[in-house]
Amino acid sequence: MTRFSGKVALVTGSSNGIGRATAVLLAQEGAKVTITGRNADRLEETRQEILKSGVPEDHVLSIATDLATEKGQDELVNSTIQKFGRLDILVNNAGAAFNDDQGRVGVDQDVSVYDRIMQINMRSVVTLTQKAKEHLVKAKGEVVNVSSIGAGPQAQPTFMYYAMSKAALDQYTRSAAIDLIQYGVRVNSVSPGAVVTGFGEAMGMPADMHEKYGHFMESRKECIPCGKMGQPIDIANIIAFLADRKLSSYIIGQSIVADGGSTLVMGMQAHNFMDLLKQ
Ligand code: NDP
């Protein structure tokens, strides 16, 4: 018996990055998983990665669909119930950031960018959770949302709409947690810092630029004090912990920050005070 034996998990955004690592981990630990994303090829890569680790084929349901549509969300919940008969764990992981196509920044970014970001990062979480609720209540299940340290309290003028969507998600996590705990359903979230995934590419960033960004961040203690970018499995392990009632049953409505220390440093603290006095 593994820790998620008999459980069924739906992991959004599992065709890449953090969601893929999470789906693989939950499946390896016994869960039946529904994996999803729009990109059918990448989704198949996730499925193959799961099967490679010895998970039986009938433990994986693969659905290529657009999560930003309610039709796609209905398909996810209905097909999961049809195939597996229950839903214990909902991981609201899918997310994205978009640039203004005319390069506008700060408050001048077009409101269509705001709409697109809120649609996938926040609205889809609200409606998918509504659709999954009756099944999660039946199973006394768990919801784990994937937020971001971008939610604040620091300002994020470059990616302000993305940051706003994650700040909204944090409030949703807290409020939904108190609403749903009356039915025995727990809601928590994880707030990653900089993690090596397809996120940059999805924003249109070429691979070498994304690598350059990673090296810059890793090499500066005021950016990532632990000196390395996060890997998807670092976050997947926390999602599995929050989905594991035996380990985390008393954690309700919280977000666990996993960022290599990034949010603990202020620019002024990054400089050595004693060195400054000697100058
Ligand atoms: P990836 O781009 O690697 O993965 C994003 C996933 O979301 C993909 O599987 C993508 O699938 C899916 N997705 C995006 N839009 C849609 C859509 N409309 N319909 C269905 N699926 C969609 O990025 P990450 O793994 O980094 O992102 C996962 C989560 O982690 C996001 O919520 C992100 O905000 C958060 N996060 C990431 C950080 C990082 O540094 N990487 C830092 C903090 C938070 P497909 O393209 O196939 O549709």
Side-chain angles (χ1 to χ4, degrees):
M1 281 281 278
T2 39
R3 66 171 160 158
F4 295 113
S5 289
K7 305 278 184 194
V8 173
L10 163 54
V11 183
T12 68
S14 37
S15 56
N16 213 347
I18 293 168
R20 172 181 287 169
T22 303
V24 172
L25 180 64
L26 295 179
Q28 285 172 343
E29 304 224 13
K32 293 177 177 159
V33 289
T34 298
I35 57 172
T36 184
R38 290 159 303 177
N39 186 310
D41 293 340
R42 279 205 296 255
L43 195 56
E44 180 57 19
E45 285 171 29
T46 302
R47 198 177 81 90
Q48 289 302 333
E49 202 173 318
I50 293 173
L51 299 183
K52 223 172 44 197
S53 55
V55 171
E57 216 165 326
D58 66 355
H59 279 206
V60 188
L61 174 63
S62 183
I63 301 175
T65 194
D66 187 351
L67 184 70
T69 67
E70 293 213 24
K71 188 168 163 274
Q73 297 162 16
D74 285 332
E75 191 186 351
L76 284 176
V77 174
N78 295 341
S79 307
T80 299
I81 297 303
Q82 217 168 12
K83 179 165 173 74
F84 298 130
R86 57 187 292 144
L87 177 62
D88 301 272
I89 298 163
L90 171 63
V91 182
N92 286 312
N93 162 74
F98 307 103
N99 293 312
D100 181 298
D101 55 13
Q102 292 182 36
R104 287 168 292 208
V105 294
V107 299
D108 294 326
Q109 290 170 83
D110 199 74
V111 74
S112 61
V113 179
Y114 169 89
D115 288 337
R116 282 180 75 198
I117 289 177
M118 289 303 279
Q119 177 87 22
I120 184 65
N121 292 3
M122 189 64 249
R123 196 178 197 283
S124 74
V125 174
V126 169
T127 49
L128 185 66
T129 306
Q130 283 176 345
K131 293 171 196 298
K133 178 183 162 185
E134 62 166 299
H135 307 291
L136 292 166
V137 168
K138 249 186 235 161
K140 295 208 184 311
E142 332 286 328
V143 179
V144 184
N145 297 324
V146 180
S147 182
S148 167
I149 59 167
Q154 299 83 2
Q156 300 282 343
T158 313
F159 296 110
M160 63 192 290
Y161 300 149
Y162 174 77
M164 288 160 66
S165 73
K166 295 299 188 178
L169 181 61
D170 285 353
Q171 181 54 253
Y172 180 78
T173 295
R174 290 188 288 269
S175 300
I178 294 307
D179 182 34
L180 293 182
I181 197 61
Q182 64 184 308
Y183 308 109
V185 176
R186 286 188 315 134
V187 185
N188 285 294
S189 82
V190 56
S191 296
V195 184
V196 182
T197 67
F199 198 83
E201 188 195 327
M203 281 181 72
M205 214 189 261
D208 61 333
M209 192 194 281
H210 198 241
E211 216 170 293
K212 210 162 130 191
Y213 161 83
H215 289 321
F216 181 93
M217 292 297 164
E218 289 177 337
S219 64
R220 283 168 171 78
K221 65 179 182 184
E222 73 273 26
C223 297
I224 307 180
C226 82
K228 58 182 170 49
M229 294 278 287
Q231 295 299 320
I233 190 64
D234 296 327
I235 309 304
N237 279 324
I238 298 164
I239 294 170
F241 166 73
L242 291 172
D244 182 343
R245 189 157 290 217
K246 282 209 188 96
L247 293 184
S248 60
S249 67
Y250 210 51
I251 303 179
I252 309 285
Q254 298 297 315
S255 190
I256 296 182
V257 172
D259 67 352
S262 296
T263 45
L264 293 184
V265 276
M266 270 197 269
M268 57 200 295
Q269 293 166 345
H271 299 278
N272 188 312
F273 183 65
M274 299 316 281
D275 287 349
L276 288 178
L277 291 183
K278 283 184 221 145
Q279 281 172 17

